[in-house]
Amino acid sequence: MPATVDGDGRVTAWPTRPHWTGLDLAAALRGVFPAAEVCWADDADLAALAEARAADCADLVYAGVGTGVGGGIVLEGRMLPGPRRGSCELGHVIVDRNGARCDCGRRGCVQAEASGPATLRRAATARGAQVTFEELRDGFAEGAAWAVGAVDAGCDALAAALVGVAELVRPTALVVGGGFAMGIPGYVERVAARTAGLARPGHPPAPVRPALLGGRSSLYGAVLAARDGLGGVGQRHR
Ligand SMILES: [Zn+2]
């Protein structure tokens, strides 16, 4: 579930779909699956879990760049902070106190700086005309300054967020995925270079790798969460 869901199963925030706020998700799911045990977790947390399993890496930070920026942390094979304590909202890590306004209302969240729409807006400003995703991808491949500058600004923001989180949890890998990032050849490598550039003496950040599972990583994670008996994952409701 991309929305922020509280411990009782109610949607408390979903900036891009405000009409969902207040929905009793737990009751709704129980209504759809009356005979089944129901659990849920954040889609990016589940993607992180699936990427960790796919990479056979117990400690990683995952960031997915698409219409927003989602992310998850897996430490010792388990999602952090864990669904009972809420989702990992990597997209709302602040990377620029004077940055663009985020959907959440704050300024400078990494989502406001590095999401697909944020990058397209930056490209459009530099180019002086609207920019589609395909135009950005092609312009970036051709080395057009308006495209390279826009992508690099997003990569800078994402690298700052990843390094900041990595300072807290010491992952062994930083994984970048999401439809926008994976749709621009070279994007992950740019993030990797910027992340490496933020190394502290004696404390290089973990390597940045592309996601392995593509657009279905959240679904793989959901299957893992269900199959593994939900130990510590999601909320259980009969
Ligand atoms: Zn935000």
Side-chain angles (χ1 to χ4, degrees):
M1 189 63 184
T4 305
V5 181
D6 70 14
D8 295 326
R10 192 173 295 276
V11 174
T12 56
W14 196 352
T16 55
R17 289 181 174 80
H19 52 286
W20 283 65
T21 303
L23 173 73
D24 187 342
L25 177 70
L29 289 174
R30 282 196 295 270
V32 177
F33 305 106
E37 213 168 280
V38 169
C39 74
W40 61 89
D42 179 79
D43 59 340
D45 287 350
L46 290 170
L49 182 68
E51 290 290 342
R53 294 287 178 90
D56 194 21
C57 175
D59 307 295
L60 64 71
V61 175
Y62 165 80
V65 182
T67 54
V69 174
I73 300 168
V74 174
L75 282 188
E76 298 179 352
R78 299 172 76 85
M79 295 187 288
L80 235 69
R84 289 178 198 286
R85 300 188 59 204
S87 53
C88 170
E89 296 291 344
L90 187 138
H92 297 291
V93 168
I94 296 170
V95 294
D96 182 352
R97 289 184 299 128
N98 301 308
R101 184 79 68 184
C102 182
D103 288 337
C104 74
R106 290 199 303 240
R107 285 194 178 278
C109 294
V110 65
Q111 173 163 294
E113 302 289 332
S115 70
T119 303
L120 288 173
R121 276 195 297 273
R122 191 177 288 114
T125 299
R127 190 191 193 191
Q130 288 295 306
V131 176
T132 66
F133 172 77
E134 290 75 17
E135 289 169 337
L136 178 75
R137 180 195 61 205
D138 295 347
F140 181 74
E142 293 162 2
W146 56 267
V148 174
V151 170
D152 278 350
C155 292
D156 279 333
L158 188 61
L162 286 171
V163 169
V165 174
E167 291 285 13
L168 303 179
V169 299
R170 300 275 163 239
T172 52
L174 303 167
V175 174
V176 175
F180 184 84
M182 301 307 280
I184 298 180
Y187 187 100
V188 177
E189 291 79 359
R190 306 280 272 215
V191 176
R194 279 157 174 73
T195 301
L198 293 172
R200 279 192 294 127
H203 295 274
V208 176
R209 300 177 187 150
L212 298 174
L213 298 175
R216 293 184 174 174
S217 55
S218 297
L219 296 177
Y220 285 120
V223 171
L224 286 171
R227 198 171 62 191
D228 289 0
L230 314 179
V233 172
Q235 305 284 330
R236 311 178 72 159
H237 284 276
R238 281 284 184 190

